[in-house]
Amino acid sequence: MRRSRSLNGIDRRMLLPTLALLPALPGTLITAAAQAGAPGGLLPSWSDGPAKQAIFDFVRATTEQSSPTYVAPDDRIAVFDQDGTLWVEQPIYAQVAYCLDRVPAVVAKKPELRIVEPFKTVLSGNREAMEELSLEDLETILAATLTGMTVEAFQSEVSNWLETARHPRWSRPYTELTFQPMQEVLRYLQSNTFKTYIVTGGGQDFVRVYAAKTYGIPPEQVVGTAGTTKFGYGQDGKPLLTKEPKLLLNDDKAGKAEGIHFMIGRRPLAAFGNSIGDREMLEYTRAGRGARLAMLVLHDDPSREYAYGPAAGLPDGKIGTFTPELYEEAREQGWTVISMKNDWNRVFAFEA
């Protein structure tokens, strides 16, 4: 039986393995940290308040040698979800947009697909029709656009797409739609000898193409949903790796904690997310001893970005879902919920 879940209702738990295979309430929930003075000039895109202070308190507790919870530099690990935490994830994931844009190139190599669904619908350019594509349709598109090429060819295609693709709302490159407050947190932690990792449900190979330039995070510090590769030889006799449609790591929900152990081998001290896909990562991080920081971004600012939850009475988020249950867990466990509307005085670097 054909499933009817559409593009606007993508189930991340089911879609993200294919992606990789294929390559508020006005108040803020805070940790029980002492409200010490904030270092001057740091995190300028954050409004003064408990969320900003929680970051300062955590760094002080883990890096000052006089602190009872001091952590040696080698053990300072912080992990960040990407979609919805470091950059915009609405109205669809950037990687899905990439796959849709790649369809004409795939059809050019296989003209027989021109009259075959779902390729026919995508080629029509009808956005409304594309939004009604089923999960099976999307899986077919992802398989055709993310596998069957060498890793170098894939990297080149993604790099070229990022140079020309524009977000439908802001008409800017996707790599310009990173959240400036989170960029500042990355730099602040890095300056305090934290090793920062991206732990994403998105495709590991996809994110690795731009992570260093966009976030200052090298490819080896990107943990994502990953497919296998196959060793072989090209026509020139040189060895190469080809991307295969076989899942190696589903880096979403519990898979994030599993991926952290598999790829990093250390429990993080700090974790940042924005949805139910990040719950287990934050739980795993907070379960360690000593000072810990767990933060969730709540998208509650429709004028500067988007508003979706359905936590805090916000519209239901089919992508990046932040449920009331997750909000309640954050309150009970002492996680910090970041209100985009109240805690960030600037969302993007290009804002005046």
Short mmCIF file of all heavy atoms in Angstrom, two decimals, residues 219-270:
data_model
loop_
_atom_site.label_atom_id
_atom_site.label_comp_id
_atom_site.label_asym_id
_atom_site.label_seq_id
_atom_site.Cartn_x
_atom_site.Cartn_y
_atom_site.Cartn_z
N PRO A 219 36.11 18.03 8.61
CA PRO A 219 35.29 16.86 8.22
C PRO A 219 35.32 15.72 9.22
O PRO A 219 34.30 15.06 9.45
CB PRO A 219 35.89 16.44 6.88
CG PRO A 219 36.51 17.68 6.32
CD PRO A 219 37.03 18.43 7.51
N GLU A 220 36.50 15.48 9.84
CA GLU A 220 36.59 14.36 10.76
C GLU A 220 35.82 14.60 12.06
O GLU A 220 35.66 13.69 12.87
CB GLU A 220 38.06 14.05 11.08
CG GLU A 220 38.82 15.16 11.78
CD GLU A 220 39.51 16.12 10.82
OE1 GLU A 220 39.09 16.18 9.63
OE2 GLU A 220 40.46 16.79 11.26
N GLN A 221 35.32 15.82 12.27
CA GLN A 221 34.51 16.12 13.45
C GLN A 221 33.03 16.29 13.09
O GLN A 221 32.27 16.93 13.82
CB GLN A 221 35.06 17.36 14.16
CG GLN A 221 36.39 17.09 14.86
CD GLN A 221 37.08 18.33 15.38
OE1 GLN A 221 38.31 18.42 15.35
NE2 GLN A 221 36.32 19.29 15.88
N VAL A 222 32.63 15.68 11.99
CA VAL A 222 31.23 15.62 11.59
C VAL A 222 30.77 14.18 11.70
O VAL A 222 31.32 13.28 11.07
CB VAL A 222 31.01 16.12 10.15
CG1 VAL A 222 29.55 15.90 9.73
CG2 VAL A 222 31.39 17.58 10.02
N VAL A 223 29.76 13.95 12.55
CA VAL A 223 29.16 12.63 12.72
C VAL A 223 27.74 12.72 12.18
O VAL A 223 26.93 13.51 12.67
CB VAL A 223 29.14 12.22 14.20
CG1 VAL A 223 28.54 10.82 14.35
CG2 VAL A 223 30.53 12.28 14.80
N GLY A 224 27.44 11.94 11.16
CA GLY A 224 26.11 12.02 10.56
C GLY A 224 25.62 10.67 10.11
O GLY A 224 26.32 9.66 10.21
N THR A 225 24.41 10.64 9.61
CA THR A 225 23.89 9.42 9.03
C THR A 225 24.76 9.05 7.84
O THR A 225 25.05 9.89 7.00
CB THR A 225 22.42 9.60 8.61
OG1 THR A 225 21.65 9.96 9.77
CG2 THR A 225 21.86 8.34 8.00
N ALA A 226 25.22 7.82 7.82
CA ALA A 226 26.24 7.45 6.84
C ALA A 226 25.92 6.14 6.14
O ALA A 226 25.40 5.20 6.75
CB ALA A 226 27.61 7.34 7.52
N GLY A 227 26.23 6.11 4.86
CA GLY A 227 26.12 4.88 4.08
C GLY A 227 27.51 4.30 3.85
O GLY A 227 28.53 4.92 4.14
N THR A 228 27.54 3.11 3.34
CA THR A 228 28.82 2.46 3.08
C THR A 228 29.42 2.96 1.77
O THR A 228 28.73 3.56 0.94
CB THR A 228 28.65 0.93 3.00
OG1 THR A 228 27.75 0.62 1.93
CG2 THR A 228 28.10 0.39 4.30
N THR A 229 30.70 2.71 1.60
CA THR A 229 31.38 2.95 0.34
C THR A 229 32.05 1.66 -0.10
O THR A 229 32.35 0.79 0.72
CB THR A 229 32.43 4.07 0.47
OG1 THR A 229 33.36 3.71 1.50
CG2 THR A 229 31.78 5.40 0.79
N LYS A 230 32.30 1.56 -1.39
CA LYS A 230 32.92 0.36 -1.95
C LYS A 230 34.22 0.74 -2.64
O LYS A 230 34.25 1.65 -3.46
CB LYS A 230 31.98 -0.33 -2.93
CG LYS A 230 32.53 -1.63 -3.51
CD LYS A 230 31.52 -2.28 -4.43
CE LYS A 230 32.06 -3.58 -5.01
NZ LYS A 230 31.08 -4.25 -5.90
N PHE A 231 35.27 0.01 -2.29
CA PHE A 231 36.58 0.26 -2.90
C PHE A 231 36.63 -0.39 -4.28
O PHE A 231 36.12 -1.48 -4.51
CB PHE A 231 37.68 -0.33 -2.02
CG PHE A 231 39.07 -0.13 -2.56
CD1 PHE A 231 39.76 1.04 -2.29
CD2 PHE A 231 39.68 -1.11 -3.34
CE1 PHE A 231 41.04 1.24 -2.78
CE2 PHE A 231 40.97 -0.92 -3.83
CZ PHE A 231 41.65 0.26 -3.56
N GLY A 232 37.24 0.34 -5.20
CA GLY A 232 37.40 -0.19 -6.55
C GLY A 232 38.44 0.61 -7.30
O GLY A 232 39.20 1.39 -6.71
N TYR A 233 38.47 0.42 -8.65
CA TYR A 233 39.43 1.11 -9.50
C TYR A 233 38.70 1.78 -10.65
O TYR A 233 37.76 1.23 -11.23
CB TYR A 233 40.47 0.14 -10.04
CG TYR A 233 41.30 -0.51 -8.96
CD1 TYR A 233 40.91 -1.73 -8.39
CD2 TYR A 233 42.46 0.09 -8.48
CE1 TYR A 233 41.66 -2.32 -7.38
CE2 TYR A 233 43.21 -0.49 -7.46
CZ TYR A 233 42.80 -1.71 -6.92
OH TYR A 233 43.54 -2.27 -5.92
N GLY A 234 39.12 3.00 -10.95
CA GLY A 234 38.54 3.72 -12.07
C GLY A 234 39.11 3.25 -13.39
O GLY A 234 39.99 2.39 -13.46
N GLN A 235 38.62 3.86 -14.47
CA GLN A 235 39.09 3.50 -15.80
C GLN A 235 40.57 3.80 -15.98
O GLN A 235 41.25 3.20 -16.82
CB GLN A 235 38.27 4.23 -16.87
CG GLN A 235 36.81 3.79 -16.92
CD GLN A 235 36.03 4.50 -17.99
OE1 GLN A 235 36.50 5.47 -18.61
NE2 GLN A 235 34.82 4.03 -18.27
N ASP A 236 41.08 4.74 -15.18
CA ASP A 236 42.50 5.06 -15.24
C ASP A 236 43.36 4.16 -14.36
O ASP A 236 44.57 4.34 -14.26
CB ASP A 236 42.73 6.52 -14.85
CG ASP A 236 42.22 6.84 -13.44
OD1 ASP A 236 41.73 5.91 -12.76
OD2 ASP A 236 42.30 8.01 -13.03
N GLY A 237 42.71 3.21 -13.70
CA GLY A 237 43.44 2.28 -12.86
C GLY A 237 43.69 2.76 -11.45
O GLY A 237 44.24 2.02 -10.63
N LYS A 238 43.27 3.97 -11.15
CA LYS A 238 43.51 4.51 -9.81
C LYS A 238 42.41 4.06 -8.84
O LYS A 238 41.25 3.93 -9.24
CB LYS A 238 43.57 6.04 -9.87
CG LYS A 238 44.75 6.59 -10.66
CD LYS A 238 44.77 8.11 -10.64
CE LYS A 238 45.99 8.64 -11.39
NZ LYS A 238 46.03 10.12 -11.40
N PRO A 239 42.76 3.84 -7.58
CA PRO A 239 41.75 3.40 -6.60
C PRO A 239 40.76 4.50 -6.28
O PRO A 239 41.10 5.69 -6.29
CB PRO A 239 42.59 3.02 -5.38
CG PRO A 239 43.85 3.80 -5.52
CD PRO A 239 44.11 3.91 -6.99
N LEU A 240 39.53 4.09 -5.98
CA LEU A 240 38.49 5.05 -5.64
C LEU A 240 37.46 4.41 -4.74
O LEU A 240 37.43 3.19 -4.56
CB LEU A 240 37.83 5.60 -6.91
CG LEU A 240 37.34 4.61 -7.98
CD1 LEU A 240 36.04 3.92 -7.58
CD2 LEU A 240 37.15 5.31 -9.32
N LEU A 241 36.61 5.25 -4.14
CA LEU A 241 35.50 4.79 -3.31
C LEU A 241 34.19 5.24 -3.95
O LEU A 241 34.04 6.40 -4.33
CB LEU A 241 35.60 5.37 -1.89
CG LEU A 241 36.75 4.88 -1.02
CD1 LEU A 241 36.80 5.67 0.29
CD2 LEU A 241 36.61 3.39 -0.72
N THR A 242 33.24 4.33 -4.04
CA THR A 242 31.92 4.63 -4.61
C THR A 242 30.87 4.55 -3.52
O THR A 242 30.88 3.61 -2.70
CB THR A 242 31.58 3.63 -5.73
OG1 THR A 242 32.58 3.71 -6.76
CG2 THR A 242 30.22 3.95 -6.34
N LYS A 243 29.97 5.53 -3.49
CA LYS A 243 28.91 5.56 -2.48
C LYS A 243 27.86 4.50 -2.78
O LYS A 243 27.36 4.40 -3.88
CB LYS A 243 28.27 6.96 -2.44
CG LYS A 243 29.22 8.03 -1.92
CD LYS A 243 28.62 9.42 -2.04
CE LYS A 243 27.39 9.60 -1.19
NZ LYS A 243 27.68 9.45 0.26
N GLU A 244 27.57 3.70 -1.75
CA GLU A 244 26.66 2.58 -1.88
C GLU A 244 25.34 2.83 -1.13
O GLU A 244 25.34 3.50 -0.09
CB GLU A 244 27.31 1.32 -1.29
CG GLU A 244 28.54 0.84 -2.04
CD GLU A 244 28.16 -0.08 -3.17
OE1 GLU A 244 27.75 -1.22 -2.91
OE2 GLU A 244 28.27 0.37 -4.34
N PRO A 245 24.21 2.29 -1.64
CA PRO A 245 22.92 2.44 -0.97
C PRO A 245 22.72 1.44 0.16
O PRO A 245 21.78 0.65 0.18
CB PRO A 245 21.93 2.23 -2.10
CG PRO A 245 22.61 1.27 -3.00
CD PRO A 245 24.08 1.64 -2.95
N LYS A 246 23.64 1.46 1.12
CA LYS A 246 23.55 0.55 2.27
C LYS A 246 23.85 1.34 3.53
O LYS A 246 24.88 2.00 3.62
CB LYS A 246 24.54 -0.61 2.12
CG LYS A 246 24.46 -1.63 3.26
CD LYS A 246 25.45 -2.77 3.02
CE LYS A 246 25.39 -3.78 4.17
NZ LYS A 246 26.37 -4.89 3.97
N LEU A 247 22.96 1.28 4.51
CA LEU A 247 23.09 2.08 5.72
C LEU A 247 24.19 1.56 6.63
O LEU A 247 24.27 0.37 6.92
CB LEU A 247 21.76 2.08 6.48
CG LEU A 247 21.72 2.93 7.76
CD1 LEU A 247 21.88 4.40 7.43
CD2 LEU A 247 20.41 2.69 8.52
N LEU A 248 25.03 2.48 7.08
CA LEU A 248 26.07 2.17 8.05
C LEU A 248 25.70 2.71 9.43
O LEU A 248 25.83 2.02 10.44
CB LEU A 248 27.41 2.75 7.61
CG LEU A 248 28.60 2.57 8.56
CD1 LEU A 248 28.92 1.08 8.70
CD2 LEU A 248 29.81 3.34 8.06
N LEU A 249 25.22 3.95 9.49
CA LEU A 249 24.86 4.58 10.76
C LEU A 249 23.66 5.49 10.56
O LEU A 249 23.70 6.41 9.75
CB LEU A 249 26.03 5.41 11.30
CG LEU A 249 25.74 6.28 12.53
CD1 LEU A 249 25.36 5.43 13.73
CD2 LEU A 249 26.95 7.17 12.86
N ASN A 250 22.57 5.22 11.29
CA ASN A 250 21.41 6.10 11.31
C ASN A 250 21.58 7.04 12.50
O ASN A 250 21.27 6.70 13.64
CB ASN A 250 20.12 5.29 11.46
CG ASN A 250 18.89 6.18 11.51
OD1 ASN A 250 18.96 7.38 11.24
ND2 ASN A 250 17.76 5.61 11.87
N ASP A 251 22.09 8.23 12.24
CA ASP A 251 22.49 9.14 13.30
C ASP A 251 21.34 10.05 13.71
O ASP A 251 21.42 11.29 13.60
CB ASP A 251 23.70 9.97 12.85
CG ASP A 251 24.46 10.57 14.03
OD1 ASP A 251 24.94 9.80 14.86
OD2 ASP A 251 24.54 11.82 14.11
N ASP A 252 20.28 9.46 14.18
CA ASP A 252 19.12 10.22 14.64
C ASP A 252 18.57 9.54 15.88
O ASP A 252 18.70 8.32 16.04
CB ASP A 252 18.06 10.28 13.54
CG ASP A 252 16.96 11.29 13.85
OD1 ASP A 252 17.29 12.40 14.31
OD2 ASP A 252 15.78 10.98 13.60
N LYS A 253 17.99 10.32 16.79
CA LYS A 253 17.44 9.81 18.04
C LYS A 253 18.50 9.00 18.79
O LYS A 253 19.60 9.51 19.01
CB LYS A 253 16.15 9.02 17.77
CG LYS A 253 15.03 9.89 17.18
CD LYS A 253 13.76 9.13 17.06
CE LYS A 253 12.65 10.01 16.46
NZ LYS A 253 12.29 11.13 17.34
N ALA A 254 18.21 7.76 19.17
CA ALA A 254 19.19 6.97 19.91
C ALA A 254 20.47 6.78 19.11
O ALA A 254 21.56 6.63 19.66
CB ALA A 254 18.60 5.61 20.27
N GLY A 255 20.35 6.81 17.78
CA GLY A 255 21.53 6.68 16.93
C GLY A 255 22.54 7.78 17.13
O GLY A 255 23.73 7.59 16.83
N LYS A 256 22.11 8.92 17.66
CA LYS A 256 23.06 10.00 17.90
C LYS A 256 24.01 9.64 19.05
O LYS A 256 25.22 9.85 18.95
CB LYS A 256 22.34 11.32 18.19
CG LYS A 256 21.71 11.92 16.96
CD LYS A 256 21.41 13.40 17.11
CE LYS A 256 20.98 14.01 15.78
NZ LYS A 256 20.86 15.46 15.83
N ALA A 257 23.46 9.12 20.13
CA ALA A 257 24.31 8.69 21.24
C ALA A 257 25.23 7.55 20.79
O ALA A 257 26.42 7.52 21.12
CB ALA A 257 23.46 8.26 22.42
N GLU A 258 24.67 6.63 20.02
CA GLU A 258 25.47 5.52 19.50
C GLU A 258 26.56 6.02 18.57
O GLU A 258 27.71 5.54 18.60
CB GLU A 258 24.56 4.52 18.80
CG GLU A 258 23.56 3.86 19.72
CD GLU A 258 22.39 3.22 19.01
OE1 GLU A 258 22.31 3.32 17.76
OE2 GLU A 258 21.54 2.62 19.69
N GLY A 259 26.22 6.99 17.72
CA GLY A 259 27.19 7.55 16.80
C GLY A 259 28.30 8.31 17.52
O GLY A 259 29.46 8.28 17.08
N ILE A 260 27.96 8.98 18.62
CA ILE A 260 28.97 9.69 19.40
C ILE A 260 30.00 8.70 19.94
O ILE A 260 31.21 8.92 19.84
CB ILE A 260 28.31 10.48 20.55
CG1 ILE A 260 27.57 11.70 19.98
CG2 ILE A 260 29.34 10.91 21.58
CD1 ILE A 260 26.67 12.39 20.99
N HIS A 261 29.53 7.59 20.48
CA HIS A 261 30.48 6.60 20.99
C HIS A 261 31.29 5.99 19.84
O HIS A 261 32.51 5.81 19.95
CB HIS A 261 29.74 5.49 21.74
CG HIS A 261 30.64 4.37 22.15
ND1 HIS A 261 31.55 4.49 23.18
CD2 HIS A 261 30.80 3.11 21.65
CE1 HIS A 261 32.22 3.37 23.31
NE2 HIS A 261 31.79 2.51 22.39
N PHE A 262 30.62 5.69 18.75
CA PHE A 262 31.27 5.02 17.62
C PHE A 262 32.33 5.90 16.97
O PHE A 262 33.43 5.44 16.65
CB PHE A 262 30.19 4.64 16.59
CG PHE A 262 30.72 3.95 15.37
CD1 PHE A 262 31.36 2.74 15.46
CD2 PHE A 262 30.54 4.52 14.11
CE1 PHE A 262 31.84 2.09 14.31
CE2 PHE A 262 31.02 3.89 12.97
CZ PHE A 262 31.67 2.66 13.07
N MET A 263 32.03 7.20 16.82
CA MET A 263 32.90 8.09 16.07
C MET A 263 33.81 8.95 16.95
O MET A 263 34.89 9.36 16.52
CB MET A 263 32.06 9.01 15.18
CG MET A 263 31.22 8.26 14.15
SD MET A 263 32.22 7.53 12.83
CE MET A 263 32.72 9.01 11.96
N ILE A 264 33.36 9.27 18.17
CA ILE A 264 34.13 10.16 19.04
C ILE A 264 34.80 9.39 20.18
O ILE A 264 35.96 9.63 20.51
CB ILE A 264 33.23 11.28 19.61
CG1 ILE A 264 32.58 12.07 18.47
CG2 ILE A 264 34.04 12.21 20.52
CD1 ILE A 264 31.57 13.11 18.92
N GLY A 265 34.06 8.49 20.79
CA GLY A 265 34.62 7.66 21.85
C GLY A 265 34.68 8.32 23.21
O GLY A 265 35.27 7.77 24.15
N ARG A 266 34.08 9.49 23.36
CA ARG A 266 34.02 10.18 24.65
C ARG A 266 32.62 10.76 24.84
O ARG A 266 32.00 11.22 23.88
CB ARG A 266 35.04 11.33 24.70
CG ARG A 266 36.49 10.90 24.55
CD ARG A 266 37.38 12.13 24.45
NE ARG A 266 38.73 11.78 24.03
CZ ARG A 266 39.81 11.96 24.78
NH1 ARG A 266 39.71 12.47 25.98
NH2 ARG A 266 41.00 11.63 24.31
N ARG A 267 32.16 10.77 26.09
CA ARG A 267 30.86 11.36 26.37
C ARG A 267 31.01 12.88 26.36
O ARG A 267 31.90 13.43 27.03
CB ARG A 267 30.34 10.91 27.74
CG ARG A 267 28.88 11.29 28.00
CD ARG A 267 28.49 11.05 29.45
NE ARG A 267 28.59 9.65 29.83
CZ ARG A 267 27.57 8.80 29.87
NH1 ARG A 267 26.35 9.23 29.57
NH2 ARG A 267 27.75 7.54 30.25
N PRO A 268 30.17 13.60 25.64
CA PRO A 268 30.29 15.06 25.59
C PRO A 268 30.00 15.71 26.93
O PRO A 268 29.28 15.17 27.77
CB PRO A 268 29.23 15.47 24.55
CG PRO A 268 28.91 14.23 23.80
CD PRO A 268 29.10 13.10 24.78
N LEU A 269 30.55 16.90 27.10
CA LEU A 269 30.22 17.72 28.27
C LEU A 269 29.04 18.64 27.95
O LEU A 269 28.31 19.05 28.86
CB LEU A 269 31.42 18.58 28.67
CG LEU A 269 32.69 17.87 29.11
CD1 LEU A 269 33.77 18.89 29.43
CD2 LEU A 269 32.43 16.97 30.30
N ALA A 270 28.87 18.99 26.68
CA ALA A 270 27.80 19.90 26.28
C ALA A 270 27.15 19.39 25.01
O ALA A 270 27.83 18.85 24.13
CB ALA A 270 28.35 21.31 26.06
#
